[in-house]
Amino acid sequence: MKEEVRASRAASRKRKRLLRSLTALVLIASLVGVIALAALMDSKKQETALPQSDDIATEMVGAESEDEPAVEEETEDVVYIEAPYTKVYADDRVTVVYEADLGDRYERLETVSGFVKLQLNERMTGWVTEERVTTEATSQSDEDIKSAWQQVLPTASESALDLLGKDRESIRAMLGAPKAVQRDQVNEYHFYDGYFLMMRDGRVRAIDWDRQTVATPDVAATSQQPSGSWYEGETIQLKLFPYSGIMRVRLEQK
């Protein structure tokens, strides 16, 4: 009888040890699983937080927000001289400092008491009366203006157009030194055989051919007056100034 009791107690102790071992294994397995799951979730989180390519990073840094307002370009306020030999005054609006030609194009700085202040060149401003300027200038294509120029001046070479916009050093390299140079308050005039260059702010603004036969091109003038005609193009102008039975022809860059 005692042997049976001892055997029963031994079996009970064996079952308890086995149960404790199984419990410990389950706890260890659960802990390992929790650690593995936490590591996996952290890995996924890192993958989501980082861009997958340089393209994504570039787009995030360089892209503009759709909510940002577009920057509007400032438009220059320009006016045209509406009559030949327009007097330009100093700040006292009494002293004449320059005479502007028909079709001359200037930036308008302000309008005060019937006078318009103009930016004549990089350094100088002047005033003209308001009735001598206009903002309206009916224009044609540059090709039409070139055709009109060739009609009134058939002997001129189209290569003359290459001089417009060139700086003083480039002109000297191409044409050599001028025969004479004259200056007024706004421009320089460099004289060569058969024509002269009007330079403003160090660059060729216009080419003039003087003492030409009076002629009228087959295109509509922007403004036509007894003392001058003006033909407005996209980037160039043609001006004709008749006097004493002949005329001066000017091709000008805007």
Side-chain angles (χ1 to χ4, degrees):
M1 184 67 179
K2 290 181 180 179
E3 292 296 330
E4 292 178 355
V5 171
R6 282 196 295 269
S8 175
R9 288 178 179 174
S12 177
R13 285 195 297 271
K14 188 176 182 180
R15 285 195 298 270
K16 288 180 180 179
R17 286 196 299 270
L18 180 59
L19 180 59
R20 285 195 296 269
S21 298
L22 290 174
T23 302
L25 288 173
V26 170
L27 289 174
I28 293 171
S30 298
L31 182 59
V32 171
V34 169
I35 294 172
L37 179 60
L40 179 62
M41 291 178 65
D42 185 63
S43 174
K44 290 294 185 180
K45 189 181 296 184
Q46 290 181 2
E47 291 177 1
T48 304
L50 296 174
Q52 298 300 310
S53 71
D54 289 341
D55 293 338
I56 296 176
T58 302
E59 181 178 342
M60 291 173 66
V61 172
E64 296 181 358
S65 170
E66 295 181 358
D67 296 331
E68 293 180 1
V71 178
E72 294 184 2
E73 293 185 2
E74 293 184 3
T75 56
E76 189 179 31
D77 183 11
V78 298
V79 294
Y80 296 88
I81 300 297
E82 199 169 22
Y85 312 116
T86 291
K87 290 180 171 56
V88 182
Y89 300 95
D91 285 343
D92 60 10
R93 301 178 208 174
V94 175
T95 306
V96 176
V97 295
Y98 182 65
E99 279 193 348
D101 282 326
L102 172 68
D104 281 0
R105 182 177 184 270
Y106 299 106
E107 179 186 0
R108 172 168 50 186
L109 301 177
E110 59 179 319
T111 301
V112 178
S113 302
F115 281 83
V116 179
K117 188 176 185 180
L118 306 177
Q119 187 72 52
L120 301 174
N121 59 25
E122 289 179 345
R123 306 173 307 282
M124 184 177 178
T125 60
W127 297 82
V128 297
T129 55
E130 197 170 3
E131 65 268 13
R132 303 288 283 191
V133 301
T134 181
T135 57
E136 302 296 328
T138 304
S139 64
Q140 305 176 64
S141 70
D142 281 349
E143 290 304 315
D144 287 338
I145 300 302
K146 292 176 188 178
S147 176
W149 165 61
Q150 290 171 334
Q151 286 180 36
V152 300
L153 201 65
T155 59
S157 169
E158 193 167 350
S159 62
L161 295 169
D162 297 333
L163 302 177
L164 294 173
K166 290 286 192 300
D167 59 29
R168 187 182 289 104
E169 291 72 21
S170 298
I171 290 298
R172 293 293 177 93
M174 294 169 65
L175 304 176
K179 294 183 176 298
V181 176
Q182 296 179 7
R183 296 177 177 85
D184 58 29
Q185 294 280 53
V186 179
N187 305 308
E188 291 181 0
Y189 305 90
H190 293 224
F191 290 83
Y192 292 88
D193 287 331
Y195 61 92
F196 64 88
L197 307 178
M198 185 187 82
M199 303 192 74
R200 184 179 301 165
D201 300 324
R203 293 186 176 275
V204 177
R205 184 65 177 265
I207 309 171
D208 285 58
W209 294 265
D210 202 1
R211 301 179 181 277
Q212 300 299 311
T213 302
V214 175
T216 303
D218 297 330
V219 294
T222 300
S223 178
Q224 190 162 10
Q225 305 174 32
S227 53
S229 299
W230 157 35
Y231 303 82
E232 181 78 3
E234 297 159 323
T235 64
I236 56 176
Q237 298 173 324
L238 175 65
K239 300 174 183 178
L240 309 178
F241 301 109
Y243 67 97
S244 303
I246 53 179
M247 72 175 181
R248 176 165 55 91
V249 177
R250 168 170 287 183
L251 194 64
E252 185 167 345
Q253 187 177 57
K254 294 169 63 174

